[in-house]
Amino acid sequence: MRSDRVLVVGAGVGGLVAALELAANGVEVVLLERAAAPGGKMREVQIAGLGLDAGPTVFTMRWVFEELFDAVGARLDEHLTLRAAHTLARHAWASGSAEVAQLDLFADLEQSVAAIGDFAGAADARGYREFSARAQGIYRTLERPFLRSPRPNPLSLAGRVGLRGLPGLVRISPFATLWGALGQYFHDPRLRQLFGRYATYCGSSPFLAPATLMLVAHVEREGVWLVEGGMHRIAETLAALAQQRGAVIRYGAAVDRLLVQDGRACGAVLASGETVAAGAVIFNGDVAALAGGLLGEGTQRSVARQPASQRSLSAVTWNLVAPTHGFPLLRHNVFFSGDYRAEFHQLGAESRLPADPTVYVCAQDRGDADASAAPGGPERLLCLVNAPPTGDRLPLNPTELAQCEERTFHRLARCGLHIERQPAQTLLTTPADFERLFPATGGALYGQASHGWKASFTRPGARSRLPGLYLAGGSTHPGPGVPMAALSGRLAAASVLHDMARPRASMPRLPAAAMPGGTSTR
């Protein structure tokens, strides 16, 4: 067994960050990735010779990466070009008539207050101001005792906030649903729908997720950033930095099983038959793969098994290169269904695609402020609708997919957006495809759904039940999405360094984090 080497399995954001931080601390690191490029869910696909983001599209909490880069002796702005978005997203609703209602949200609070007042009236504008203050309070209460903690539980959380913090802990409303809490601030059902959408950032239903997720509104308003070159550029940058600091990254290296000897993880066997020994292993993949035995019997009990009923949402996506006309697209756009409750009932209780889906459209070639700056011809698009995570047991048949496509683009057309689609320049991804990319998930994109107050405490932490096996990624604490996955990688690296008792094994200074800016389910 190689006691001085750490093996990282999976080059998603969490694995890349863990490998980078360990290598920067002088640890011998080998990162194994079965794909031909880094990124995991932060995928890029090629259409008509163009690279399109096919995973996360929203970059938040820039300071997570600023502090990471600082910890490894680099500067974020020397490696990535980021531009702050002033308009966070454009939202649209098609009524029974031909009229289309439109609302933009802004990073500036007063601009959003004014826009909501024009859209829904003075009472809801005041409600938004109160809602924003509540979201900020929830964030401040949870930032250090929960988000920075290796694996909090209710008792440790209460202990960390102390007596002075207990009133704030009560105000985070863990026992109320997000949808129910929104009714305290907004009379217009469209605004409840808009802010209820934040539950989908972690693949959950606003009717079941806790009101705590209101904090996402504060994090978005703190900053959404546009990444020059696309989101995949983040993964490429992390991989390059890790290699510069000594990490070895092997692509096309599929892991068949993890090695366990004397009750401890000690390496991996590749699909090729090669054995890679190590003193510790960080698994950066969905923990369902471990519990399901996909990495060998020796690791099955390293994490608790979660029933399929607790999976987060999946998605059906279309990456396209196509001309558009009619609707003034910005970078981030949401076209809402006519009945949100029915939509999530069909996704959850009925495990089927909704008859009237909400559609998120990322127009990758657009900016955030002036729709007149649209491309003159075909543009890069990602269209996404939520789907049940049943890609392993109930894959969608051609008829269901055809109906989903018709309903999706009909919703867009009702809102005035017309996309001139060509099959040769369209790439469809279904829950079954996501299952193949991320095995044992059924296509779920966010690990376990955040339904009920206990869900946030049941994600495994950086240390698994098996000595020598550490965990990173969106299915672990603190949750899914780009910044959360980065934090999980830092927590895993810190745990390994601590357990190796190296001189620099102190816990890295972790940044504030709150929002899972993951594959967008706007």
Side-chain angles (χ1 to χ4, degrees), residues 158-362:
R160 289 188 181 100
V161 301
L163 291 176
R164 289 186 177 182
L166 286 179
L169 200 58
V170 172
R171 287 194 294 272
I172 69 173
S173 302
F175 307 114
T177 65
L178 177 59
W179 188 262
L182 291 173
Q184 301 174 29
Y185 302 98
F186 303 111
H187 301 290
D188 192 314
R190 294 170 300 179
L191 293 176
R192 293 180 72 182
Q193 193 176 29
L194 190 162
F195 294 107
R197 190 192 88 255
Y198 287 137
T200 66
Y201 277 60
C202 53
S204 304
S205 164
F207 301 96
L208 299 173
T212 307
L213 289 180
M214 285 192 288
L215 60 78
V216 175
H218 173 71
V219 173
E220 266 205 342
R221 206 165 47 74
E222 286 278 287
V224 170
W225 302 85
L226 308 183
V227 184
E228 184 175 305
M231 294 289 287
H232 187 69
R233 177 68 181 137
I234 299 168
E236 294 175 336
T237 299
L238 292 172
L241 279 174
Q243 290 173 312
Q244 289 169 13
R245 279 148 182 76
V248 174
I249 302 180
R250 296 178 55 182
Y251 299 109
V255 172
D256 181 67
R257 69 182 188 278
L258 298 182
L259 286 173
V260 179
Q261 182 178 335
D262 298 326
R264 182 179 179 84
C266 59
V269 177
L270 306 188
S272 64
E274 177 188 356
T275 296
V276 183
V281 177
I282 296 176
F283 178 68
N284 179 60
D286 199 294
V287 295
L290 293 172
L294 271 63
L295 279 298
E297 294 183 359
T299 60
Q300 272 189 286
R301 296 181 179 178
S302 61
V303 295
R305 192 181 186 101
Q306 297 289 344
S309 61
Q310 295 181 11
R311 289 172 175 169
S312 61
L313 291 169
S314 185
V316 176
T317 68
W318 294 264
N319 278 102
L320 312 97
V321 175
T324 70
H325 60 90
F327 184 89
L329 289 170
L330 298 180
R331 176 67 64 90
H332 302 299
N333 312 269
V334 189
F335 302 85
F336 282 105
S337 66
D339 188 337
Y340 223 34
R341 188 177 293 276
E343 180 179 354
F344 281 93
H345 179 77
Q346 290 160 359
L347 286 166
E350 299 180 10
S351 291
R352 66 182 180 91
L353 292 168
D356 181 17
T358 293
V359 187
Y360 166 68
V361 177
C362 175

Side-chain angles (χ1 to χ4, degrees), residues 7-20 29-44 56 65 231-240 242-243 247-255 281-286 437-438 472-474 482 485-486 488-489:
L7 189 64
V8 180
V9 178
V13 171
L16 290 168
V17 168
L20 169 58
V29 180
V30 176
L31 194 162
L32 303 175
E33 170 56 52
R34 67 172 183 168
K41 291 187 177 76
M42 191 184 283
R43 302 182 302 133
E44 182 180 70
F65 289 89
M231 294 289 287
H232 187 69
R233 177 68 181 137
I234 299 168
E236 294 175 336
T237 299
L238 292 172
Q243 290 173 312
V248 174
I249 302 180
R250 296 178 55 182
Y251 299 109
V255 172
V281 177
I282 296 176
F283 178 68
N284 179 60
D286 199 294
L437 289 168
F438 314 111
V482 175
S488 77

Side-chain angles (χ1 to χ4, degrees), residues 36 43 58 67 136 189 246 318 343 356 359 402 406 446 456:
R43 302 182 302 133
V58 181
E67 293 194 6
Q136 183 180 46
W318 294 264
E343 180 179 354
D356 181 17
V359 187
E406 191 279 329
Y446 313 87
S456 296

Side-chain angles (χ1 to χ4, degrees), residues 78-94:
E78 292 179 355
H79 294 270
L80 289 169
T81 301
L82 306 173
R83 182 167 62 84
H86 301 291
T87 306
L88 303 178
R90 175 158 288 170
H91 311 86
W93 295 260

